[in-house]
């Protein structure tokens, strides 16, 4: 039948497809361009997400990795019987109660002899951690035969000394001198004169630093003058007078400078000793001896060095005297670097070098065990009942709506509920993994119920119908056929819920798990904390070592999460069935 015949017969003409015209080609090209743009948008979104994730992980790892390494001083420690066991009875209680720090102080004095100043001696002792004697005590208690001998052992450093060895405290620059230097003494305050302008570069660097300070002072005075008006006139005047005095010092490049803690430190390493410069001239210095010199003999060119600490002493945790001691220990080969097992095997502590995550890690595991044992069976059973057995009426509709609403309730509300019910009403122990697990179970339960119901709905109805057709009861059809096939989806919901619980802090703060817990919990009712709360506590502390431990604890938390998710994925694969 031709088109003309169809038109005469009153039939609707067939629509012809336009595939070759310019308009059709333009529409096809526009569609392809839209698809390409959508693909580019997707790739760009993935790239931005990956970039943000990479930056976040790099920041966490770069800050946290130094925590997994620590430094110690390997020295010969004399175990004196009159200190450890003065009665000579080898009584373990007396040995445990002895003061081992004098033994370690004696080892430090032997490693760096000639320190007579009480202040310097105290600074030398502060290089060790307050927990350093514990290792020696444990060694002597385990083997009392070591009393009266000398043992070679690593001594734990303080957090500030450890940070210095990690290279994050200050940059140390040294250069050999060109002239001949003559010191006036070996200890106390001395002068060092040279045969050439050996200190001209350091003097220029000090002048440049003063120029920066003077410019900042002028800007700050101008800002205060604009903001404060007449009320700050005296302060502005004082600042401008100080700036003018600094300007006068800067304009005289060859005039000696008095160095203070706000300027970069300059030291002279000469004749086996170290001198901290207090007055700097182009051809000589006046300073305090930090490490005693061996002699007052002339130091030939290139045999002595000028050492500079880039960061001013006022901006450092480690003072110049302590830096001198640490560098001397490095020179004699007494510094040992190793993996920081204490971070993974110790509980929390007020001292950064002694603090660890074992207590929080065990508390997290105990809390999640309680959470999983409660929310998984209850959540799955509730989902099965609502999806397969509950009558469809207003009551079940109300229950379903409330479950969906509970999944969006702020987590701190569950913490308030746990505080009111579990602690105040039932009287359960505060800050215990049992209570934390109960609170987190309430938090996670709606998520697992919703995910489990979605997994049950995803199973083809023909599976249940086939089971019913061969004579199985409704319960048998659900538990023997539908539930095994829905298990992978249920495990996925459980993974999401447990990951949510692992990162929660607010509800646990409400039930007291924010307390400072030193001991590692040994049960579900003992006081404990969890990793998110431990991270929160450390992040609020000012010490740089605790800031690094915060990042390291985040790495441990992520590792724990990956391990938990890996186990859940393995279980999901194991329960997976094909139909």
């Amino acid at each position: 039948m031709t088109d003309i015949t169809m038109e005469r017969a009153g039939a609707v003409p067939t629509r012809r497809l336009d595939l070759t015209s310019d308009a059709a080609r333009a529409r096809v090209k526009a569609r392809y361009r839209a698809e390409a743009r959508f693909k580019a948008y997707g790739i760009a979104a993935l790239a931005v997400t990956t970039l943000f994730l990479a930056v976040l992980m790099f920041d966490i790892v770069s800050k946290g990795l130094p925590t997994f390494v620590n430094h110690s001083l390997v020295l010969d420690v004399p175990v004196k019987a009159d200190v450890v066991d003065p009665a000579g009875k080898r009584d373990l209680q007396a040995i445990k109660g002895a003061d081992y720090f004098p033994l370690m102080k004696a080892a430090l004095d032997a490693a760096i002899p000639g320190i007579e100043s009480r202040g310097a001696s105290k600074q030398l002792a502060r290089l060790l951690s307050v927990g350093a004697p514990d290792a020696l005590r444990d060694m002597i208690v385990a083997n009392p035969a070591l009393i009266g001998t000398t043992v070679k052992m690593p001594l734990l450093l303080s957090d500030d000394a450890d940070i210095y060895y990690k290279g994050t405290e200050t940059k140390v620059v040294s250069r050999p001198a060109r002239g001949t230097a003559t010191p006036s003494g070996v200890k106390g305050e001395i002068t060092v004169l040279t045969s050439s302008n050996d200190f001209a570069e350091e003097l220029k660097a000090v002048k440049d630093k003063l120029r920066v300070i003077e410019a900042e002072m002028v800007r700050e005075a101008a800002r205060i003058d604009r903001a404060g008006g007449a009320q700050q006139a005296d302060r502005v005047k004082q600042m401008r007078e100080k700036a003018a005095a600094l300007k006068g010092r800067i304009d005289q490049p060859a005039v000696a400078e008095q160095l203070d803690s706000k300027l970069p430190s300059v030291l002279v390493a000469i004749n086996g000793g170290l001198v901290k410069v207090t007055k700097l001239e182009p051809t000589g210095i006046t300073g305090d001896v930090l490490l005693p010199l061996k002699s007052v003999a002339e130091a030939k060119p290139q045999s002595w060095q000028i050492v500079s600490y880039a960061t001013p002493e006022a901006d450092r945790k480690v003072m110049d005297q302590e830096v001198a001691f640490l560098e001397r220990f490095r020179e004699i080969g007494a510094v040992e670097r190793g993996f920081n097992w204490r971070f993974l095997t110790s509980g929390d502590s007020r001292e950064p070098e002694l603090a660890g995550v074992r207590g929080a890690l065990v508390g997290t595991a105990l809390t999640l065990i309680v959470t999983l044992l409660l929310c998984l069976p209850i959540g799955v059973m509730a989902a099965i009942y609502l999806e397969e057995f509950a009558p469809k009426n207003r009551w079940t509709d109300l229950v379903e709506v409330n479950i969906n609403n509970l999944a969006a309730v702020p987590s701190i509300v569950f913490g308030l509920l746990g505080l009111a019910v579990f602690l105040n009403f039932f009287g359960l122990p505060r800050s215990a993994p049992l209570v934390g697990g109960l609170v987190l179970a309430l938090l996670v339960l709606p998520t697992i119920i919703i995910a489990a119901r979605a997994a049950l709905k995803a199973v083809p109805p023909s599976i249940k119908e086939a089971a019913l057709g061969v004579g199985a009861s409704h319960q048998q059809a659900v538990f023997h056929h539908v539930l095994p096939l829905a298990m992978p989806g249920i495990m996925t919901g459980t993974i999401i819920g447990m990951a949510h619980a692992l990162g929660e802090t607010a509800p646990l703060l409400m039930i007291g798990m924010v307390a400072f817990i030193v001991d590692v919990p040994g049960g579900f009712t003992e006081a404990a904390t969890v990793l998110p709360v431990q991270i929160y506590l450390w992040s609020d502390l000012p010490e740089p070592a605790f800031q690094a431990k915060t990042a390291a604890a985040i790495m441990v938390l992520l590792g724990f999460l990956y391990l938990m998710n890996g186990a859940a994925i393995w279980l999901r694969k194991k329960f997976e069935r094909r139909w």
Side-chain angles (χ1 to χ4, degrees):
M1 182 181 292
T2 64
D3 294 341
I4 297 176
T5 307
M6 290 177 62
E7 292 175 2
R8 290 176 179 175
V12 179
T14 304
R15 181 181 177 181
R16 297 179 179 178
L17 296 177
D18 183 10
L19 301 177
T20 58
S21 66
D22 294 339
R25 292 193 184 95
R27 287 195 297 272
V28 172
K29 291 181 179 179
R31 185 167 67 247
Y32 286 161
R33 286 196 299 269
E35 292 178 358
R37 285 196 301 270
F38 181 77
K39 183 179 179 181
Y41 294 155
I43 294 174
L46 289 176
V48 172
T49 304
T50 303
L51 177 63
F52 286 162
L53 180 61
V55 171
L56 175 63
M57 293 304 298
F58 176 78
D59 182 66
I60 293 174
V61 172
S62 62
K63 292 180 179 178
L65 272 182
T67 300
F68 293 95
V69 177
N70 68 345
H71 295 83
S72 55
L73 298 179
V74 181
L75 300 176
D76 293 325
V77 181
V79 185
K80 299 179 181 179
D82 58 340
V83 175
V84 177
D85 186 23
K89 298 180 179 180
R90 297 298 190 265
D91 182 15
L92 290 182
Q93 294 300 325
I95 294 175
K96 287 182 180 179
D99 185 9
Y100 287 82
F101 197 83
L103 303 180
M104 297 189 169
K105 181 63 171 61
L108 293 175
D109 294 337
I112 303 182
I115 305 299
E116 299 178 356
S117 169
R118 291 188 61 186
S121 181
K122 289 182 179 180
Q123 286 182 304
L124 179 61
R126 282 202 298 266
L127 296 180
L128 294 183
S129 168
V130 296
D134 296 341
L136 181 59
R137 177 183 290 107
D138 295 340
M139 180 185 297
I140 302 304
V141 170
N143 186 11
L146 295 176
I147 298 176
T149 65
T150 299
V151 296
K152 193 179 187 68
M153 63 172 300
L155 309 182
L156 183 65
L157 288 171
S158 66
D159 59 310
D160 293 332
D162 185 56
I163 288 176
Y164 174 80
Y165 278 133
K166 290 175 180 176
T168 58
E169 185 72 10
T170 183
K171 183 180 180 182
V172 179
V173 180
S174 61
R175 64 178 182 86
R178 299 182 299 272
T180 300
T182 306
S184 63
V186 296
K187 61 180 63 175
E189 185 179 53
I190 67 171
T191 60
V192 179
L193 301 178
T194 68
S195 59
S196 63
N197 292 335
D198 286 290
F199 298 101
E201 294 183 16
E202 282 68 29
L203 184 60
K204 181 179 181 302
V206 170
K207 299 286 187 181
D208 293 340
K209 180 65 176 179
L210 291 175
R211 185 175 288 106
V212 173
I213 295 175
E214 183 263 341
E216 292 177 351
M217 195 173 296
V218 170
R219 286 194 298 268
E220 182 66 13
R223 186 192 67 80
I224 294 175
D225 190 23
R226 290 193 302 269
Q231 298 178 352
Q232 299 288 340
D234 292 340
R235 182 182 176 189
V236 171
K237 181 180 179 181
Q238 292 177 2
M239 294 182 66
R240 287 175 174 169
E241 288 177 353
K242 290 181 180 179
L246 289 178
K247 185 71 166 55
R249 291 167 59 182
I250 296 169
D251 292 339
Q252 298 178 6
V255 175
E257 286 290 346
Q258 296 287 339
L259 303 186
D260 56 24
S261 61
K262 296 181 180 180
L263 295 173
S265 299
V266 179
L267 302 98
V268 177
I270 182 171
N271 293 346
L274 191 66
V275 183
K276 178 183 178 181
V277 178
T278 56
K279 182 180 179 181
L280 182 63
E281 300 179 74
T283 59
I285 60 100
T286 300
D288 299 323
V289 175
L290 301 182
L291 297 176
L293 281 65
K294 296 179 180 179
S295 68
V296 293
E298 287 187 351
K300 301 300 182 182
Q302 307 294 320
S303 66
W304 61 285
Q305 292 183 327
I306 301 173
V307 183
S308 300
Y309 298 161
T311 307
E313 192 176 29
D315 299 333
R316 284 188 268 121
K317 301 284 288 185
V318 181
M319 300 297 101
D320 287 339
Q321 180 68 75
E322 295 171 332
V323 173
F325 289 144
L326 293 172
E327 288 297 327
R328 176 57 57 87
F329 282 123
R330 198 202 299 268
E331 291 174 6
I332 64 178
V335 181
E336 183 181 76
R337 176 187 175 98
F339 187 80
N340 188 11
W341 291 105
R342 188 183 297 272
F343 177 69
L344 300 177
T345 58
S346 300
D348 197 8
S349 174
R350 298 295 185 189
E351 303 298 329
E353 70 276 7
L354 301 178
V357 296
R358 183 185 173 190
L361 197 59
V362 173
T364 301
L366 294 176
T367 303
L368 290 182
I369 287 174
V370 175
T371 303
L372 184 63
L373 292 179
L374 288 175
C375 67
L376 182 59
I378 295 176
V380 173
M381 292 299 103
I384 292 175
Y385 175 76
L386 291 174
E387 189 63 31
E388 298 292 344
F389 297 98
K392 305 302 179 183
N393 51 35
R394 292 183 178 180
W395 173 249
T396 55
D397 291 342
L398 180 64
V399 171
E400 292 176 4
V401 170
N402 285 320
I403 290 174
N404 293 331
N405 289 336
L406 284 175
V409 170
S411 60
I412 196 171
V413 176
F414 291 97
L416 293 171
L417 177 64
L419 175 63
V421 176
F422 300 132
L423 296 184
N424 296 338
F425 184 77
F426 288 106
L428 294 178
R430 182 179 295 271
S431 188
L434 175 62
V435 181
L438 289 171
V439 173
L440 293 181
L442 294 177
L443 175 66
V444 173
L445 196 57
T447 302
I448 293 182
I449 293 175
I450 294 171
R453 291 192 65 186
L456 292 171
K457 287 180 182 179
V459 177
S462 57
I463 301 294
K464 183 172 66 174
E465 294 170 358
L468 295 174
V470 296
S473 66
H474 191 187
Q475 180 178 346
Q476 289 174 329
V478 171
F479 283 91
H480 294 177
H481 300 279
V482 177
L483 183 59
L485 295 177
M487 191 56 68
I490 294 174
M491 295 304 301
T492 300
T494 304
I495 293 172
I496 296 173
M498 296 303 293
H500 183 194
L502 181 62
E504 280 298 334
T505 303
L508 301 180
L509 297 181
M510 300 304 300
I511 62 170
M513 296 192 83
V514 71
F516 175 69
I517 307 297
V518 177
D519 298 328
V520 178
F524 293 99
T525 58
E526 295 185 9
T529 187
V530 293
L531 278 172
V533 175
Q534 189 70 78
I535 293 170
Y536 166 76
L537 293 174
W538 282 350
S539 65
D540 198 40
L541 298 175
E543 290 88 347
F546 273 124
Q547 299 300 317
K549 284 184 179 291
T550 300
I554 294 174
M555 295 172 62
V556 174
L557 178 63
L558 293 176
F560 189 86
L561 177 63
Y562 293 151
L563 183 63
M564 186 179 71
N565 286 352
I569 292 172
W570 177 80
L571 290 174
R572 185 179 67 185
K573 292 294 184 181
K574 184 177 181 180
F575 286 112
E576 190 172 5
R577 299 289 186 274
R578 296 185 179 275
W579 61 80

